[in-house]
Amino acid sequence: MTITCCIRYRIDPFQRDAFAEYARNWLTIIPACGGDLHGYWLPHEGTNDIALAMISFPSLAEYESYRTRLRADEGGADNFRMAQEKRFILSEERTFLEPVVLQEAS
């Protein structure tokens, strides 16, 4: 069963451009580490401090393996470090979702 990790970020709205750079960096790092990245989304209108990312994995075990690879990846480590130094992420939440699919008639 595929699972999708939805990451909800609360960002500093005055550092939107810094978060956009952070998100762009993940566009190549995440797939290289094994995540099926659906994308990153920045606030556009309305609430100005919420951003989202969605990444799918074949299983929760694959997600855990991905997290290990991500922590060991040089580009990933650099991106995490940049976020810590610039402090544009105020908080983040992860929700794991499964798709709703049609059930076959019996």
Side-chain angles (χ1 to χ4, degrees):
M1 166 184 43
T2 298
I3 61 157
T4 299
C5 178
C6 178
I7 308 171
R8 181 183 186 270
Y9 297 93
R10 193 167 68 81
I11 64 171
D12 178 345
F14 298 102
Q15 294 195 63
R16 184 181 189 279
D17 291 343
F19 183 83
E21 177 186 353
Y22 171 83
R24 273 192 296 277
N25 291 339
W26 289 128
L27 298 180
T28 55
I29 297 167
I30 289 172
C33 290
D36 180 12
L37 180 64
H38 301 289
Y40 270 80
W41 291 269
L42 292 167
H44 176 69
E45 197 170 314
T47 303
N48 68 351
D49 66 343
I50 302 300
L52 298 171
M54 296 187 82
I55 313 161
S56 289
F57 303 91
S59 67
L60 198 52
E62 286 295 324
Y63 168 77
E64 294 299 333
S65 296
Y66 153 83
R67 293 286 294 170
T68 299
R69 289 188 297 274
L70 194 63
R71 282 187 220 104
D73 183 83
E74 186 177 329
D78 288 344
N79 214 30
F80 284 129
R81 192 170 19 265
M82 187 242 317
Q84 288 177 340
E85 289 170 1
K86 293 187 177 181
R87 304 177 75 92
F88 48 79
I89 298 172
L90 305 177
S91 67
E92 62 183 78
E93 303 168 359
R94 283 180 172 71
T95 302
F96 293 88
L97 308 166
E98 62 183 54
V100 176
V101 297
L102 286 174
Q103 292 184 344
E104 294 183 29
S106 41

mmCIF file of all heavy atoms in Angstrom, residues 1 4 8 18 25 30-31 35 38 42-43 45 47 49 51 55 57 60 64 69 73 82 84-85 87 94 102 104 106:
data_model
loop_
_atom_site.group_PDB
_atom_site.id
_atom_site.type_symbol
_atom_site.label_atom_id
_atom_site.label_comp_id
_atom_site.label_asym_id
_atom_site.label_seq_id
_atom_site.Cartn_x
_atom_site.Cartn_y
_atom_site.Cartn_z
ATOM 1 N N MET A 1 0.839 -1.170 0.000
ATOM 2 C CA MET A 1 0.000 0.000 0.000
ATOM 3 C C MET A 1 0.893 1.245 0.000
ATOM 4 O O MET A 1 1.799 1.375 0.819
ATOM 5 C CB MET A 1 -0.892 -0.005 1.243
ATOM 6 C CG MET A 1 -1.540 1.312 1.503
ATOM 7 S SD MET A 1 -2.521 1.432 3.020
ATOM 8 C CE MET A 1 -1.531 0.636 4.222
ATOM 9 N N THR A 4 1.457 8.411 1.659
ATOM 10 C CA THR A 4 1.924 9.749 1.311
ATOM 11 C C THR A 4 2.138 10.531 2.588
ATOM 12 O O THR A 4 1.259 10.587 3.448
ATOM 13 C CB THR A 4 0.917 10.466 0.393
ATOM 14 O OG1 THR A 4 0.790 9.706 -0.817
ATOM 15 C CG2 THR A 4 1.384 11.873 0.057
ATOM 16 N N ARG A 8 3.214 19.784 6.670
ATOM 17 C CA ARG A 8 2.629 21.125 6.800
ATOM 18 C C ARG A 8 3.630 21.985 7.553
ATOM 19 O O ARG A 8 3.976 21.686 8.701
ATOM 20 C CB ARG A 8 1.313 21.056 7.572
ATOM 21 C CG ARG A 8 0.614 22.377 7.739
ATOM 22 C CD ARG A 8 -0.658 22.179 8.585
ATOM 23 N NE ARG A 8 -1.445 23.375 8.679
ATOM 24 C CZ ARG A 8 -1.301 24.299 9.642
ATOM 25 N NH1 ARG A 8 -0.395 24.134 10.578
ATOM 26 N NH2 ARG A 8 -2.065 25.365 9.656
ATOM 27 N N ALA A 18 13.321 32.582 1.176
ATOM 28 C CA ALA A 18 14.277 31.615 1.730
ATOM 29 C C ALA A 18 13.646 30.222 1.765
ATOM 30 O O ALA A 18 14.299 29.228 1.436
ATOM 31 C CB ALA A 18 14.721 32.041 3.128
ATOM 32 N N ASN A 25 15.517 23.217 -3.486
ATOM 33 C CA ASN A 25 16.635 22.284 -3.264
ATOM 34 C C ASN A 25 16.136 20.850 -3.111
ATOM 35 O O ASN A 25 16.765 19.910 -3.601
ATOM 36 C CB ASN A 25 17.440 22.690 -2.034
ATOM 37 C CG ASN A 25 18.213 23.976 -2.233
ATOM 38 O OD1 ASN A 25 18.481 24.394 -3.349
ATOM 39 N ND2 ASN A 25 18.572 24.624 -1.132
ATOM 40 N N ILE A 30 15.178 14.882 -2.818
ATOM 41 C CA ILE A 30 14.195 13.882 -2.373
ATOM 42 C C ILE A 30 14.081 12.715 -3.354
ATOM 43 O O ILE A 30 14.181 11.556 -2.946
ATOM 44 C CB ILE A 30 12.832 14.544 -2.073
ATOM 45 C CG1 ILE A 30 12.954 15.382 -0.793
ATOM 46 C CG2 ILE A 30 11.717 13.503 -1.958
ATOM 47 C CD1 ILE A 30 11.746 16.243 -0.475
ATOM 48 N N PRO A 31 13.891 12.973 -4.670
ATOM 49 C CA PRO A 31 13.832 11.822 -5.592
ATOM 50 C C PRO A 31 15.126 11.004 -5.611
ATOM 51 O O PRO A 31 15.081 9.781 -5.703
ATOM 52 C CB PRO A 31 13.561 12.471 -6.956
ATOM 53 C CG PRO A 31 12.905 13.777 -6.628
ATOM 54 C CD PRO A 31 13.560 14.225 -5.350
ATOM 55 N N GLY A 35 12.311 9.188 -2.545
ATOM 56 C CA GLY A 35 10.939 9.647 -2.342
ATOM 57 C C GLY A 35 10.280 10.013 -3.662
ATOM 58 O O GLY A 35 10.934 10.538 -4.562
ATOM 59 N N HIS A 38 5.657 14.726 -4.876
ATOM 60 C CA HIS A 38 4.537 15.318 -5.612
ATOM 61 C C HIS A 38 4.694 16.821 -5.720
ATOM 62 O O HIS A 38 4.125 17.434 -6.610
ATOM 63 C CB HIS A 38 3.208 14.979 -4.934
ATOM 64 C CG HIS A 38 2.964 13.511 -4.842
ATOM 65 N ND1 HIS A 38 2.660 12.732 -5.937
ATOM 66 C CD2 HIS A 38 3.031 12.667 -3.783
ATOM 67 C CE1 HIS A 38 2.521 11.474 -5.548
ATOM 68 N NE2 HIS A 38 2.749 11.411 -4.250
ATOM 69 N N LEU A 42 3.774 26.817 -1.844
ATOM 70 C CA LEU A 42 3.937 28.020 -1.036
ATOM 71 C C LEU A 42 2.593 28.718 -0.865
ATOM 72 O O LEU A 42 1.714 28.600 -1.724
ATOM 73 C CB LEU A 42 4.888 28.997 -1.734
ATOM 74 C CG LEU A 42 6.339 28.576 -1.831
ATOM 75 C CD1 LEU A 42 7.080 29.480 -2.809
ATOM 76 C CD2 LEU A 42 6.980 28.646 -0.456
ATOM 77 N N PRO A 43 2.432 29.508 0.200
ATOM 78 C CA PRO A 43 1.203 30.277 0.338
ATOM 79 C C PRO A 43 1.094 31.283 -0.811
ATOM 80 O O PRO A 43 2.096 31.865 -1.225
ATOM 81 C CB PRO A 43 1.355 30.984 1.682
ATOM 82 C CG PRO A 43 2.789 30.887 2.054
ATOM 83 C CD PRO A 43 3.362 29.739 1.302
ATOM 84 N N GLU A 45 -2.399 33.090 -1.503
ATOM 85 C CA GLU A 45 -3.408 34.062 -1.109
ATOM 86 C C GLU A 45 -4.071 33.544 0.155
ATOM 87 O O GLU A 45 -4.156 32.339 0.364
ATOM 88 C CB GLU A 45 -4.444 34.215 -2.233
ATOM 89 C CG GLU A 45 -5.285 35.445 -2.119
ATOM 90 C CD GLU A 45 -6.123 35.670 -3.376
ATOM 91 O OE1 GLU A 45 -5.573 35.548 -4.480
ATOM 92 O OE2 GLU A 45 -7.304 35.951 -3.211
ATOM 93 N N THR A 47 -4.005 32.745 4.011
ATOM 94 C CA THR A 47 -2.996 32.519 5.044
ATOM 95 C C THR A 47 -1.607 32.602 4.423
ATOM 96 O O THR A 47 -1.322 31.943 3.431
ATOM 97 C CB THR A 47 -3.207 31.131 5.687
ATOM 98 O OG1 THR A 47 -4.535 31.071 6.199
ATOM 99 C CG2 THR A 47 -2.220 30.879 6.792
ATOM 100 N N ASP A 49 1.391 31.999 6.035
ATOM 101 C CA ASP A 49 2.477 31.325 6.747
ATOM 102 C C ASP A 49 2.400 29.798 6.709
ATOM 103 O O ASP A 49 3.067 29.127 7.485
ATOM 104 C CB ASP A 49 2.548 31.809 8.201
ATOM 105 C CG ASP A 49 1.326 31.408 9.023
ATOM 106 O OD1 ASP A 49 0.281 31.049 8.440
ATOM 107 O OD2 ASP A 49 1.426 31.451 10.260
ATOM 108 N N ALA A 51 2.899 26.388 4.312
ATOM 109 C CA ALA A 51 3.394 25.771 3.083
ATOM 110 C C ALA A 51 3.232 24.259 3.240
ATOM 111 O O ALA A 51 3.158 23.745 4.364
ATOM 112 C CB ALA A 51 4.857 26.136 2.848
ATOM 113 N N ILE A 55 5.030 13.708 -0.335
ATOM 114 C CA ILE A 55 5.993 12.732 -0.820
ATOM 115 C C ILE A 55 5.411 11.340 -0.574
ATOM 116 O O ILE A 55 4.973 11.045 0.538
ATOM 117 C CB ILE A 55 7.336 12.840 -0.063
ATOM 118 C CG1 ILE A 55 7.797 14.289 0.028
ATOM 119 C CG2 ILE A 55 8.395 11.957 -0.708
ATOM 120 C CD1 ILE A 55 8.830 14.539 1.112
ATOM 121 N N PHE A 57 5.598 6.967 -0.737
ATOM 122 C CA PHE A 57 6.501 5.832 -0.550
ATOM 123 C C PHE A 57 5.690 4.550 -0.661
ATOM 124 O O PHE A 57 4.502 4.535 -0.332
ATOM 125 C CB PHE A 57 7.159 5.891 0.840
ATOM 126 C CG PHE A 57 7.906 7.161 1.065
ATOM 127 C CD1 PHE A 57 7.267 8.249 1.640
ATOM 128 C CD2 PHE A 57 9.223 7.283 0.677
ATOM 129 C CE1 PHE A 57 7.934 9.449 1.827
ATOM 130 C CE2 PHE A 57 9.907 8.479 0.861
ATOM 131 C CZ PHE A 57 9.255 9.558 1.441
ATOM 132 N N LEU A 60 5.647 2.310 4.864
ATOM 133 C CA LEU A 60 6.247 3.055 5.964
ATOM 134 C C LEU A 60 7.708 2.641 6.165
ATOM 135 O O LEU A 60 8.561 3.471 6.488
ATOM 136 C CB LEU A 60 5.439 2.848 7.248
ATOM 137 C CG LEU A 60 5.657 3.861 8.358
ATOM 138 C CD1 LEU A 60 5.501 5.295 7.884
ATOM 139 C CD2 LEU A 60 4.713 3.581 9.514
ATOM 140 N N GLU A 64 11.099 5.052 6.214
ATOM 141 C CA GLU A 64 12.166 5.044 7.213
ATOM 142 C C GLU A 64 13.535 4.894 6.547
ATOM 143 O O GLU A 64 14.498 5.559 6.954
ATOM 144 C CB GLU A 64 11.935 3.933 8.242
ATOM 145 C CG GLU A 64 10.711 4.141 9.109
ATOM 146 C CD GLU A 64 10.753 5.412 9.946
ATOM 147 O OE1 GLU A 64 11.862 5.892 10.282
ATOM 148 O OE2 GLU A 64 9.675 5.939 10.270
ATOM 149 N N ARG A 69 18.662 7.634 4.335
ATOM 150 C CA ARG A 69 19.435 8.106 3.176
ATOM 151 C C ARG A 69 19.476 9.629 3.127
ATOM 152 O O ARG A 69 20.511 10.227 2.816
ATOM 153 C CB ARG A 69 18.857 7.541 1.877
ATOM 154 C CG ARG A 69 19.099 6.051 1.680
ATOM 155 C CD ARG A 69 18.688 5.573 0.296
ATOM 156 N NE ARG A 69 17.272 5.733 0.041
ATOM 157 C CZ ARG A 69 16.328 4.851 0.381
ATOM 158 N NH1 ARG A 69 16.655 3.733 1.015
ATOM 159 N NH2 ARG A 69 15.059 5.067 0.083
ATOM 160 N N ASP A 73 22.760 12.200 3.065
ATOM 161 C CA ASP A 73 22.999 12.893 1.803
ATOM 162 C C ASP A 73 23.609 14.274 2.064
ATOM 163 O O ASP A 73 23.103 15.041 2.886
ATOM 164 C CB ASP A 73 21.668 13.043 1.052
ATOM 165 C CG ASP A 73 21.846 13.690 -0.300
ATOM 166 O OD1 ASP A 73 22.195 12.981 -1.255
ATOM 167 O OD2 ASP A 73 21.648 14.924 -0.383
ATOM 168 N N MET A 82 20.903 24.973 6.340
ATOM 169 C CA MET A 82 20.469 26.302 5.904
ATOM 170 C C MET A 82 19.168 26.695 6.602
ATOM 171 O O MET A 82 19.013 27.823 7.072
ATOM 172 C CB MET A 82 20.272 26.323 4.383
ATOM 173 C CG MET A 82 19.999 27.703 3.841
ATOM 174 S SD MET A 82 18.414 28.019 3.001
ATOM 175 C CE MET A 82 18.132 26.640 1.976
ATOM 176 N N GLN A 84 18.062 25.652 9.501
ATOM 177 C CA GLN A 84 18.335 25.932 10.907
ATOM 178 C C GLN A 84 18.989 27.296 11.092
ATOM 179 O O GLN A 84 18.648 28.036 12.011
ATOM 180 C CB GLN A 84 19.227 24.841 11.507
ATOM 181 C CG GLN A 84 18.498 23.535 11.691
ATOM 182 C CD GLN A 84 19.409 22.440 12.214
ATOM 183 O OE1 GLN A 84 20.637 22.506 12.101
ATOM 184 N NE2 GLN A 84 18.808 21.417 12.794
ATOM 185 N N GLU A 85 19.904 27.626 10.200
ATOM 186 C CA GLU A 85 20.609 28.905 10.318
ATOM 187 C C GLU A 85 19.692 30.094 10.045
ATOM 188 O O GLU A 85 19.739 31.090 10.759
ATOM 189 C CB GLU A 85 21.814 28.935 9.371
ATOM 190 C CG GLU A 85 22.936 28.020 9.802
ATOM 191 C CD GLU A 85 24.029 27.853 8.763
ATOM 192 O OE1 GLU A 85 23.941 28.472 7.662
ATOM 193 O OE2 GLU A 85 24.976 27.089 9.036
ATOM 194 N N ARG A 87 16.302 30.029 10.052
ATOM 195 C CA ARG A 87 15.138 29.950 10.943
ATOM 196 C C ARG A 87 13.828 30.418 10.291
ATOM 197 O O ARG A 87 13.016 31.079 10.911
ATOM 198 C CB ARG A 87 15.419 30.727 12.221
ATOM 199 C CG ARG A 87 16.677 30.247 12.935
ATOM 200 C CD ARG A 87 17.001 31.066 14.151
ATOM 201 N NE ARG A 87 16.117 30.764 15.242
ATOM 202 C CZ ARG A 87 16.345 29.868 16.184
ATOM 203 N NH1 ARG A 87 17.444 29.165 16.159
ATOM 204 N NH2 ARG A 87 15.492 29.677 17.151
ATOM 205 N N ARG A 94 3.899 16.279 10.298
ATOM 206 C CA ARG A 94 3.817 15.223 9.283
ATOM 207 C C ARG A 94 2.554 14.414 9.513
ATOM 208 O O ARG A 94 2.296 13.971 10.627
ATOM 209 C CB ARG A 94 5.032 14.313 9.363
ATOM 210 C CG ARG A 94 6.259 14.911 8.756
ATOM 211 C CD ARG A 94 7.449 13.966 8.867
ATOM 212 N NE ARG A 94 8.568 14.475 8.107
ATOM 213 C CZ ARG A 94 9.294 15.530 8.421
ATOM 214 N NH1 ARG A 94 9.010 16.201 9.500
ATOM 215 N NH2 ARG A 94 10.295 15.931 7.671
ATOM 216 N N LEU A 102 -11.228 2.603 -5.313
ATOM 217 C CA LEU A 102 -12.474 1.867 -5.543
ATOM 218 C C LEU A 102 -12.277 0.415 -5.150
ATOM 219 O O LEU A 102 -11.237 -0.178 -5.416
ATOM 220 C CB LEU A 102 -12.863 1.925 -7.019
ATOM 221 C CG LEU A 102 -13.415 3.252 -7.519
ATOM 222 C CD1 LEU A 102 -13.618 3.203 -9.023
ATOM 223 C CD2 LEU A 102 -14.721 3.575 -6.818
ATOM 224 N N GLU A 104 -13.291 -3.445 -5.611
ATOM 225 C CA GLU A 104 -13.876 -4.292 -6.665
ATOM 226 C C GLU A 104 -15.164 -4.930 -6.151
ATOM 227 O O GLU A 104 -15.254 -5.326 -4.995
ATOM 228 C CB GLU A 104 -12.871 -5.359 -7.088
ATOM 229 C CG GLU A 104 -11.652 -4.781 -7.757
ATOM 230 C CD GLU A 104 -10.706 -5.868 -8.232
ATOM 231 O OE1 GLU A 104 -11.181 -6.979 -8.542
ATOM 232 O OE2 GLU A 104 -9.511 -5.606 -8.294
ATOM 233 N N SER A 106 -17.858 -7.760 -5.555
ATOM 234 C CA SER A 106 -17.677 -9.215 -5.371
ATOM 235 C C SER A 106 -18.819 -9.986 -5.957
ATOM 236 O O SER A 106 -19.826 -9.541 -6.333
ATOM 237 C CB SER A 106 -17.535 -9.548 -3.898
ATOM 238 O OG SER A 106 -18.400 -8.825 -3.081
#
